[in-house]
Amino acid sequence: MKKFLLLGLCLFTLALRVNAQSISERGMALPENYQFPQKNTFTILNWNVEHFVDAFDNPYIRNEREDVKDAKAQEEVKQKVAMLVKALREADADIVVLQEFESIAFLRQIAREHLADMGYQFFAGSESPDWYMNVVIMSRYPMGMTYSFRSLYTPVPGIKNKDGQPRTQINVNSRVVAQEIFIRPDYAFLLTGVHLKAGRTEEDIATRLGQIQAIQYQLRQLRKRNKRLPMVFAGDFNSLDGSREMAELLRKDNPLRWNDPWQGKTVFTHTADKPERRFDYILVNKAMQHLVRREEAVIGGLLKDDPAAQRAISDHMPVRVTFSVPVK
């Protein structure tokens, strides 16, 4: 029995070495005086925060929701920021993925002014030049490479345009970003944050399938460099549990081998005040799956003392998963 335990430990150690992606070996460095959190777990929070805009008008974005001009609208922004800050403090997540958030600059300002004691030093995203709903990532852990999908045209399978040609789209691909995050100096995972196309029409479904096709192809290319690359796929998928889109992601022969920590459970994330369907997910691949603490995979649960405030922030429930920090 001892021999089998020793063999298992050796194989696990070998897997960690294969996963190793040393910062220094890759020409990267940590910020001066940075210290990794001294914890044996880390938490990812995923949340669509519904049209979360700052109090300034961006002249390059033409949309009434973003054009915060009068004093009443600016006061509403202040109140919403205060509620979000309260929720983020309650969540105390190490890595935060937000959808429908205006900009990295806005999130950095909130972190600097209201969350300065919480250790959020690192920010990422891939913002649209002419739209206000972006995916942004905030982390206590240092970041490596950022992979943007913003410039990609993706197919809309089975849909043709007015000229009878296959339809393509680029309008929502800025809402996809893949980000390396280092949990240790020699161990990183790839977090892909998404806000897939909304809507229930056949064209909307086809657009999401086209996005999923492009994302998974690019992730497979990255995995070729490291066959045991740990990956997390998080966001508002705008896809119902059991839909064609989720069936494509979770099919058993999918090379990326996505796993849903809530698989087999009935969970709902939308709407926040009356959840009756699920749009929001945190999926993990096989190399990340063994780190999931399933008993700490949570839907909602923020602002328990003020559920009306949670609904005022967003029509989506937040989703959280806790992971074990891999041992050296």
mmCIF file of all heavy atoms in Angstrom, residues 100-128:
data_model
loop_
_atom_site.group_PDB
_atom_site.id
_atom_site.type_symbol
_atom_site.label_atom_id
_atom_site.label_comp_id
_atom_site.label_asym_id
_atom_site.label_seq_id
_atom_site.Cartn_x
_atom_site.Cartn_y
_atom_site.Cartn_z
ATOM 1 N N GLU A 100 -20.597 43.169 -18.249
ATOM 2 C CA GLU A 100 -21.373 44.404 -18.412
ATOM 3 C C GLU A 100 -20.788 45.544 -17.571
ATOM 4 O O GLU A 100 -21.529 46.405 -17.068
ATOM 5 C CB GLU A 100 -22.866 44.189 -18.092
ATOM 6 C CG GLU A 100 -23.551 43.223 -19.047
ATOM 7 C CD GLU A 100 -25.064 43.318 -19.022
ATOM 8 O OE1 GLU A 100 -25.593 44.419 -18.781
ATOM 9 O OE2 GLU A 100 -25.717 42.285 -19.253
ATOM 10 N N PHE A 101 -19.479 45.574 -17.437
ATOM 11 C CA PHE A 101 -18.792 46.600 -16.674
ATOM 12 C C PHE A 101 -18.087 47.524 -17.646
ATOM 13 O O PHE A 101 -17.464 47.066 -18.604
ATOM 14 C CB PHE A 101 -17.783 45.953 -15.726
ATOM 15 C CG PHE A 101 -17.374 46.835 -14.587
ATOM 16 C CD1 PHE A 101 -18.061 46.801 -13.379
ATOM 17 C CD2 PHE A 101 -16.310 47.705 -14.720
ATOM 18 C CE1 PHE A 101 -17.686 47.624 -12.328
ATOM 19 C CE2 PHE A 101 -15.926 48.527 -13.677
ATOM 20 C CZ PHE A 101 -16.610 48.487 -12.472
ATOM 21 N N GLU A 102 -18.143 48.834 -17.404
ATOM 22 C CA GLU A 102 -17.705 49.763 -18.443
ATOM 23 C C GLU A 102 -16.220 49.698 -18.774
ATOM 24 O O GLU A 102 -15.857 49.671 -19.953
ATOM 25 C CB GLU A 102 -18.070 51.209 -18.079
ATOM 26 C CG GLU A 102 -17.685 52.159 -19.190
ATOM 27 C CD GLU A 102 -18.309 53.542 -19.060
ATOM 28 O OE1 GLU A 102 -19.089 53.784 -18.123
ATOM 29 O OE2 GLU A 102 -18.028 54.379 -19.932
ATOM 30 N N SER A 103 -15.337 49.680 -17.771
ATOM 31 C CA SER A 103 -13.922 49.778 -18.117
ATOM 32 C C SER A 103 -13.015 49.302 -16.994
ATOM 33 O O SER A 103 -13.403 49.307 -15.815
ATOM 34 C CB SER A 103 -13.556 51.222 -18.470
ATOM 35 O OG SER A 103 -13.598 52.036 -17.304
ATOM 36 N N ILE A 104 -11.793 48.951 -17.373
ATOM 37 C CA ILE A 104 -10.769 48.617 -16.391
ATOM 38 C C ILE A 104 -10.473 49.837 -15.518
ATOM 39 O O ILE A 104 -10.290 49.721 -14.305
ATOM 40 C CB ILE A 104 -9.482 48.148 -17.095
ATOM 41 C CG1 ILE A 104 -9.753 46.887 -17.922
ATOM 42 C CG2 ILE A 104 -8.376 47.867 -16.080
ATOM 43 C CD1 ILE A 104 -8.596 46.491 -18.811
ATOM 44 N N ALA A 105 -10.422 51.003 -16.146
ATOM 45 C CA ALA A 105 -10.105 52.228 -15.397
ATOM 46 C C ALA A 105 -11.114 52.461 -14.271
ATOM 47 O O ALA A 105 -10.745 52.855 -13.153
ATOM 48 C CB ALA A 105 -10.078 53.415 -16.346
ATOM 49 N N PHE A 106 -12.394 52.230 -14.546
ATOM 50 C CA PHE A 106 -13.442 52.407 -13.547
ATOM 51 C C PHE A 106 -13.259 51.410 -12.407
ATOM 52 O O PHE A 106 -13.359 51.767 -11.223
ATOM 53 C CB PHE A 106 -14.801 52.240 -14.223
ATOM 54 C CG PHE A 106 -15.994 52.530 -13.355
ATOM 55 C CD1 PHE A 106 -15.918 53.377 -12.256
ATOM 56 C CD2 PHE A 106 -17.228 51.954 -13.657
ATOM 57 C CE1 PHE A 106 -17.031 53.644 -11.475
ATOM 58 C CE2 PHE A 106 -18.341 52.220 -12.876
ATOM 59 C CZ PHE A 106 -18.245 53.056 -11.784
ATOM 60 N N LEU A 107 -12.959 50.158 -12.737
ATOM 61 C CA LEU A 107 -12.766 49.141 -11.700
ATOM 62 C C LEU A 107 -11.535 49.454 -10.854
ATOM 63 O O LEU A 107 -11.550 49.298 -9.626
ATOM 64 C CB LEU A 107 -12.638 47.763 -12.340
ATOM 65 C CG LEU A 107 -12.564 46.581 -11.376
ATOM 66 C CD1 LEU A 107 -13.789 46.530 -10.471
ATOM 67 C CD2 LEU A 107 -12.423 45.268 -12.140
ATOM 68 N N ARG A 108 -10.451 49.913 -11.498
ATOM 69 C CA ARG A 108 -9.248 50.297 -10.756
ATOM 70 C C ARG A 108 -9.544 51.442 -9.788
ATOM 71 O O ARG A 108 -9.050 51.462 -8.654
ATOM 72 C CB ARG A 108 -8.141 50.716 -11.731
ATOM 73 C CG ARG A 108 -7.458 49.570 -12.428
ATOM 74 C CD ARG A 108 -6.505 50.089 -13.485
ATOM 75 N NE ARG A 108 -5.436 50.862 -12.887
ATOM 76 C CZ ARG A 108 -4.211 50.407 -12.644
ATOM 77 N NH1 ARG A 108 -3.907 49.154 -12.951
ATOM 78 N NH2 ARG A 108 -3.294 51.176 -12.114
ATOM 79 N N GLN A 109 -10.356 52.393 -10.234
ATOM 80 C CA GLN A 109 -10.702 53.515 -9.365
ATOM 81 C C GLN A 109 -11.491 53.040 -8.152
ATOM 82 O O GLN A 109 -11.234 53.474 -7.012
ATOM 83 C CB GLN A 109 -11.518 54.547 -10.133
ATOM 84 C CG GLN A 109 -11.962 55.728 -9.275
ATOM 85 C CD GLN A 109 -12.856 56.694 -10.032
ATOM 86 O OE1 GLN A 109 -12.738 56.841 -11.236
ATOM 87 N NE2 GLN A 109 -13.747 57.341 -9.317
ATOM 88 N N ILE A 110 -12.461 52.145 -8.378
ATOM 89 C CA ILE A 110 -13.254 51.602 -7.262
ATOM 90 C C ILE A 110 -12.345 50.863 -6.286
ATOM 91 O O ILE A 110 -12.454 51.031 -5.062
ATOM 92 C CB ILE A 110 -14.358 50.671 -7.801
ATOM 93 C CG1 ILE A 110 -15.428 51.497 -8.531
ATOM 94 C CG2 ILE A 110 -14.996 49.878 -6.663
ATOM 95 C CD1 ILE A 110 -16.469 50.655 -9.244
ATOM 96 N N ALA A 111 -11.431 50.053 -6.819
ATOM 97 C CA ALA A 111 -10.520 49.301 -5.955
ATOM 98 C C ALA A 111 -9.615 50.235 -5.158
ATOM 99 O O ALA A 111 -9.361 50.029 -3.963
ATOM 100 C CB ALA A 111 -9.691 48.336 -6.799
ATOM 101 N N ARG A 112 -9.137 51.270 -5.810
ATOM 102 C CA ARG A 112 -8.221 52.213 -5.158
ATOM 103 C C ARG A 112 -8.935 53.025 -4.075
ATOM 104 O O ARG A 112 -8.399 53.236 -2.985
ATOM 105 C CB ARG A 112 -7.617 53.145 -6.210
ATOM 106 C CG ARG A 112 -6.591 54.125 -5.653
ATOM 107 C CD ARG A 112 -5.891 54.897 -6.755
ATOM 108 N NE ARG A 112 -6.824 55.648 -7.589
ATOM 109 C CZ ARG A 112 -7.119 55.347 -8.855
ATOM 110 N NH1 ARG A 112 -6.559 54.299 -9.435
ATOM 111 N NH2 ARG A 112 -7.976 56.089 -9.546
ATOM 112 N N GLU A 113 -10.163 53.470 -4.361
ATOM 113 C CA GLU A 113 -10.855 54.362 -3.436
ATOM 114 C C GLU A 113 -11.633 53.628 -2.344
ATOM 115 O O GLU A 113 -11.825 54.183 -1.247
ATOM 116 C CB GLU A 113 -11.811 55.267 -4.217
ATOM 117 C CG GLU A 113 -11.098 56.244 -5.147
ATOM 118 C CD GLU A 113 -12.060 57.178 -5.855
ATOM 119 O OE1 GLU A 113 -13.293 57.032 -5.668
ATOM 120 O OE2 GLU A 113 -11.583 58.064 -6.595
ATOM 121 N N HIS A 114 -12.084 52.409 -2.629
ATOM 122 C CA HIS A 114 -12.988 51.736 -1.692
ATOM 123 C C HIS A 114 -12.515 50.359 -1.225
ATOM 124 O O HIS A 114 -13.064 49.832 -0.255
ATOM 125 C CB HIS A 114 -14.373 51.581 -2.333
ATOM 126 C CG HIS A 114 -14.973 52.867 -2.817
ATOM 127 N ND1 HIS A 114 -15.477 53.825 -1.963
ATOM 128 C CD2 HIS A 114 -15.133 53.363 -4.073
ATOM 129 C CE1 HIS A 114 -15.933 54.851 -2.677
ATOM 130 N NE2 HIS A 114 -15.740 54.587 -3.949
ATOM 131 N N LEU A 115 -11.540 49.781 -1.906
ATOM 132 C CA LEU A 115 -11.107 48.423 -1.573
ATOM 133 C C LEU A 115 -9.592 48.360 -1.383
ATOM 134 O O LEU A 115 -8.975 47.319 -1.582
ATOM 135 C CB LEU A 115 -11.529 47.451 -2.685
ATOM 136 C CG LEU A 115 -13.018 47.412 -3.044
ATOM 137 C CD1 LEU A 115 -13.234 46.609 -4.322
ATOM 138 C CD2 LEU A 115 -13.829 46.814 -1.895
ATOM 139 N N ALA A 116 -8.997 49.471 -0.983
ATOM 140 C CA ALA A 116 -7.529 49.565 -0.941
ATOM 141 C C ALA A 116 -6.900 48.565 0.012
ATOM 142 O O ALA A 116 -5.747 48.170 -0.167
ATOM 143 C CB ALA A 116 -7.125 50.989 -0.553
ATOM 144 N N ASP A 117 -7.646 48.142 1.044
ATOM 145 C CA ASP A 117 -7.102 47.211 2.028
ATOM 146 C C ASP A 117 -7.291 45.744 1.627
ATOM 147 O O ASP A 117 -6.914 44.848 2.375
ATOM 148 C CB ASP A 117 -7.781 47.443 3.376
ATOM 149 C CG ASP A 117 -9.295 47.263 3.306
ATOM 150 O OD1 ASP A 117 -9.886 47.593 2.250
ATOM 151 O OD2 ASP A 117 -9.894 46.795 4.288
ATOM 152 N N MET A 118 -7.860 45.482 0.445
ATOM 153 C CA MET A 118 -8.197 44.111 0.069
ATOM 154 C C MET A 118 -7.188 43.472 -0.879
ATOM 155 O O MET A 118 -7.339 42.309 -1.251
ATOM 156 C CB MET A 118 -9.603 44.065 -0.530
ATOM 157 C CG MET A 118 -10.678 44.445 0.471
ATOM 158 S SD MET A 118 -12.351 44.092 -0.104
ATOM 159 C CE MET A 118 -12.380 42.301 -0.060
ATOM 160 N N GLY A 119 -6.183 44.220 -1.293
ATOM 161 C CA GLY A 119 -5.080 43.607 -2.026
ATOM 162 C C GLY A 119 -5.287 43.417 -3.506
ATOM 163 O O GLY A 119 -4.541 42.673 -4.151
ATOM 164 N N TYR A 120 -6.271 44.103 -4.098
ATOM 165 C CA TYR A 120 -6.481 43.968 -5.542
ATOM 166 C C TYR A 120 -5.486 44.863 -6.284
ATOM 167 O O TYR A 120 -5.627 46.077 -6.310
ATOM 168 C CB TYR A 120 -7.919 44.335 -5.912
ATOM 169 C CG TYR A 120 -8.949 43.401 -5.339
ATOM 170 C CD1 TYR A 120 -9.952 43.875 -4.482
ATOM 171 C CD2 TYR A 120 -8.945 42.049 -5.648
ATOM 172 C CE1 TYR A 120 -10.906 43.014 -3.951
ATOM 173 C CE2 TYR A 120 -9.888 41.184 -5.117
ATOM 174 C CZ TYR A 120 -10.861 41.674 -4.267
ATOM 175 O OH TYR A 120 -11.794 40.810 -3.753
ATOM 176 N N GLN A 121 -4.495 44.228 -6.896
ATOM 177 C CA GLN A 121 -3.432 44.969 -7.577
ATOM 178 C C GLN A 121 -3.447 44.807 -9.092
ATOM 179 O O GLN A 121 -2.816 45.582 -9.803
ATOM 180 C CB GLN A 121 -2.061 44.491 -7.093
ATOM 181 C CG GLN A 121 -1.777 44.692 -5.631
ATOM 182 C CD GLN A 121 -0.345 44.327 -5.302
ATOM 183 O OE1 GLN A 121 0.592 44.753 -5.971
ATOM 184 N NE2 GLN A 121 -0.169 43.514 -4.283
ATOM 185 N N PHE A 122 -4.167 43.778 -9.587
ATOM 186 C CA PHE A 122 -4.008 43.396 -10.984
ATOM 187 C C PHE A 122 -5.362 43.422 -11.698
ATOM 188 O O PHE A 122 -6.372 42.947 -11.167
ATOM 189 C CB PHE A 122 -3.382 41.995 -11.070
ATOM 190 C CG PHE A 122 -2.125 41.882 -10.249
ATOM 191 C CD1 PHE A 122 -2.153 41.337 -8.969
ATOM 192 C CD2 PHE A 122 -0.921 42.354 -10.736
ATOM 193 C CE1 PHE A 122 -1.009 41.244 -8.199
ATOM 194 C CE2 PHE A 122 0.240 42.272 -9.980
ATOM 195 C CZ PHE A 122 0.201 41.716 -8.706
ATOM 196 N N PHE A 123 -5.357 43.969 -12.927
ATOM 197 C CA PHE A 123 -6.605 44.190 -13.665
ATOM 198 C C PHE A 123 -6.396 43.822 -15.128
ATOM 199 O O PHE A 123 -5.304 44.032 -15.685
ATOM 200 C CB PHE A 123 -7.027 45.651 -13.551
ATOM 201 C CG PHE A 123 -7.228 46.108 -12.124
ATOM 202 C CD1 PHE A 123 -6.149 46.516 -11.352
ATOM 203 C CD2 PHE A 123 -8.490 46.099 -11.562
ATOM 204 C CE1 PHE A 123 -6.318 46.923 -10.043
ATOM 205 C CE2 PHE A 123 -8.673 46.515 -10.239
ATOM 206 C CZ PHE A 123 -7.583 46.914 -9.479
ATOM 207 N N ALA A 124 -7.442 43.307 -15.765
ATOM 208 C CA ALA A 124 -7.333 42.927 -17.173
ATOM 209 C C ALA A 124 -8.696 43.028 -17.838
ATOM 210 O O ALA A 124 -9.745 43.038 -17.181
ATOM 211 C CB ALA A 124 -6.779 41.504 -17.320
ATOM 212 N N GLY A 125 -8.679 43.075 -19.157
ATOM 213 C CA GLY A 125 -9.892 43.110 -19.957
ATOM 214 C C GLY A 125 -9.527 43.285 -21.418
ATOM 215 O O GLY A 125 -8.349 43.371 -21.774
ATOM 216 N N SER A 126 -10.531 43.320 -22.250
ATOM 217 C CA SER A 126 -10.325 43.538 -23.687
ATOM 218 C C SER A 126 -11.494 44.386 -24.171
ATOM 219 O O SER A 126 -12.476 43.872 -24.689
ATOM 220 C CB SER A 126 -10.270 42.205 -24.430
ATOM 221 O OG SER A 126 -10.123 42.399 -25.819
ATOM 222 N N GLU A 127 -11.385 45.687 -23.982
ATOM 223 C CA GLU A 127 -12.543 46.566 -24.105
ATOM 224 C C GLU A 127 -12.893 46.892 -25.552
ATOM 225 O O GLU A 127 -12.028 47.040 -26.407
ATOM 226 C CB GLU A 127 -12.282 47.853 -23.328
ATOM 227 C CG GLU A 127 -12.131 47.611 -21.830
ATOM 228 C CD GLU A 127 -11.675 48.845 -21.077
ATOM 229 O OE1 GLU A 127 -11.717 49.945 -21.661
ATOM 230 O OE2 GLU A 127 -11.280 48.709 -19.908
ATOM 231 N N SER A 128 -14.186 47.027 -25.784
ATOM 232 C CA SER A 128 -14.669 47.481 -27.079
ATOM 233 C C SER A 128 -14.367 48.965 -27.245
ATOM 234 O O SER A 128 -14.502 49.737 -26.289
ATOM 235 C CB SER A 128 -16.181 47.251 -27.184
ATOM 236 O OG SER A 128 -16.712 47.904 -28.318
#
